[in-house]
Amino acid sequence: FTEVTVNYNFFCAEDSCTHVTDLDWTITSCLSNQDVELGLDNSTGFTEDCFYDSETESLVVRVRLLEGIANEEGRTFTVTGIVEDDCGNTNTTSRQLFIPLTNNSFALSGFEELDDGTCIPVSAPCDDICPCEYDQRECNEDVVIGTSLTHTGTSTDGSSGETTTTFSYLLTGKPSRITIGVPAGMTIVSHEPDTQFMVGRPQNSYIEGLTWFLEPDALGATTVVSFEVA
């Protein structure tokens, strides 16, 4: 973010003492909800993942997130600034920068998912955070783990005016996670069981689709798994 100390470039302020174009900001900190877990030193109010470069008047943000379902809320940077007018009055405010991990990150973090162009696509080094592509399965197919997922039926319903299709399966065993690959672009109407659920590709997985995160101890010998799409 360039020229962040210039009013209306990053922060916005209005004043009766000083013209808005003459108000200057001082960036005092930039911290995130994942700094501690990433082992970052934030004693100065900034970290190596978010800092102010005074030479270029730029706020530099590194796109890096913790992986895994425990961090699915994504990463939120809170940038704090102070503005002062010619009369010596000051005001402190903050602005948040949100980087989602999955499609579920918006709801989990309380941010509204927008499609009006206000979201800024960013590039990231794939060797750090992008999902890996595998030529071979991660699991040894010779190992028997006592878990199976069997397709038991497909049904179509058009009674509500919109045609939906339900796919049903029977899960045997007690896994902690299952993923069913589905084509992109489907709208998920409902799913069962009603546990933590995501659409897309989980971190460290070679399958993109629908994923249920399960509590093995809460499962019976068999569990009905289904999802309805439109």
Side-chain angles (χ1 to χ4, degrees):
F1 300 89
T2 59
E3 297 184 335
V4 291
T5 59
V6 177
N7 197 32
Y8 279 92
N9 274 7
F10 188 81
F11 288 118
C12 302
E14 295 184 359
D15 188 71
S16 58
C17 177
T18 307
H19 192 273
V20 292
T21 58
D22 295 326
L23 290 170
D24 290 324
W25 289 84
T26 300
I27 309 301
T28 59
S29 67
C30 180
L31 303 172
S32 87
N33 60 326
Q34 296 184 356
D35 292 345
V36 174
E37 290 83 352
L38 288 168
L40 300 176
D41 178 10
N42 59 8
S43 58
T44 64
F46 299 93
T47 69
E48 64 183 75
D49 281 5
C50 188
F51 58 90
Y52 174 67
D53 185 344
S54 59
E55 292 186 1
T56 61
E57 296 186 2
S58 299
L59 183 69
V60 181
V61 180
R62 180 184 182 188
V63 180
R64 177 169 62 150
L65 302 91
L66 291 171
E67 302 176 357
I69 191 63
N71 304 293
E72 196 178 6
E73 74 280 1
R75 190 175 185 184
T76 301
F77 290 91
T78 301
V79 185
T80 302
I82 298 177
V83 65
E84 182 175 1
D85 65 12
D86 292 341
C87 300
N89 301 308
T90 62
N91 189 46
T92 301
T93 190
S94 61
R95 180 180 178 185
Q96 291 183 311
L97 305 174
F98 175 55
I99 305 175
L101 179 66
T102 71
N103 292 337
N104 295 332
S105 300
F106 293 91
L108 292 172
S109 296
F111 289 94
E112 182 180 358
E113 187 170 3
L114 303 174
D115 58 3
D116 58 0
T118 55
C119 293
I120 304 172
V122 294
S123 59
C126 273
D127 55 344
D128 284 345
I129 66 170
C130 295
C132 298
E133 297 284 354
Y134 295 96
D135 293 328
Q136 298 178 352
R137 292 180 176 272
E138 291 180 290
C139 303
N140 185 342
E141 295 183 357
D142 295 331
V143 176
V144 178
I145 59 175
T147 298
S148 65
L149 187 66
T150 306
H151 179 231
T152 57
T154 301
S155 60
T156 301
D157 182 12
S159 58
S160 63
E162 180 181 36
T163 301
T164 62
T165 303
T166 300
F167 300 87
S168 301
Y169 301 81
L170 187 65
L171 173 66
T172 301
K174 299 185 177 185
S176 60
R177 183 180 81 181
I178 59 171
T179 300
I180 299 176
V182 299
M186 286 187 170
T187 300
I188 308 302
V189 178
S190 63
H191 61 85
E192 184 184 355
D194 187 18
T195 61
Q196 195 167 17
F197 178 82
M198 70 169 287
V199 179
R201 178 165 48 183
Q203 294 291 327
N204 304 319
S205 174
Y206 60 90
I207 297 178
E208 181 171 358
L210 313 180
T211 297
W212 286 259
F213 298 91
L214 307 170
E215 294 291 340
D217 293 339
L219 299 176
T222 59
T223 304
V224 174
V225 177
S226 67
F227 62 93
E228 183 182 9
V229 299

